[in-house]
Amino acid sequence: LHGVGAEIAFGKHRNLFPDLGVSPRSGGSDFVNASGEEIDIKCTGYKTGKLIVNEKKKGSSTKYFVLMIGEVPEFEIVGYATADEIFKDENKTELYGRTVYQLKQCQLNLMQE
């Protein structure tokens, strides 16, 4: 619920439209911007939450990963990282038995209005 809410909030802020189709899918990105670049939204309810991206996303066509914090109905866009920025060896870690890449909020780029 909160993940979909974060996607809708981001889409509203950036004037983009999420895929609201009801057919099941896996992988892929949440948005494509006007330049054709793919954007994936990550959401957490923790105020100090990190941008965490599964290792399986490495090598995908997603260009930007955006961290949103909040719960329905209120979300905050914290920042973003490009795929090149997040998929570095120094960002790799184990989390609950799976390999992920993570960045702290202070390492993220700020969104421009």
Side-chain angles (χ1 to χ4, degrees), residues 81-97:
T82 65
D84 291 338
E85 291 169 334
I86 196 157
F87 293 121
K88 293 181 177 178
D89 286 341
E90 62 261 25
N91 301 329
K92 195 178 202 180
T93 188
E94 292 292 318
L95 185 66
Y96 302 115

Side-chain angles (χ1 to χ4, degrees), residues 48-113:
T48 59
K50 300 174 183 173
L51 176 64
I52 298 173
V53 180
N54 193 310
E55 179 183 42
K56 293 177 183 179
K57 283 284 191 171
K58 187 175 182 179
S60 74
S61 55
T62 303
K63 169 111 186 210
Y64 299 104
F65 295 90
V66 177
L67 177 61
M68 305 276 294
I69 291 180
E71 295 180 352
V72 172
E74 293 185 26
F75 294 94
E76 173 188 355
I77 300 172
V78 176
Y80 73 93
T82 65
D84 291 338
E85 291 169 334
I86 196 157
F87 293 121
K88 293 181 177 178
D89 286 341
E90 62 261 25
N91 301 329
K92 195 178 202 180
T93 188
E94 292 292 318
L95 185 66
Y96 302 115
R98 61 187 174 123
T99 302
V100 299
Y101 291 83
Q102 67 180 10
L103 291 174
K104 296 176 184 176
Q105 292 181 23
C106 63
Q107 296 174 287
L108 300 178
N109 303 296
L110 299 178
M111 301 286 298
Q112 294 180 7
E113 293 297 319

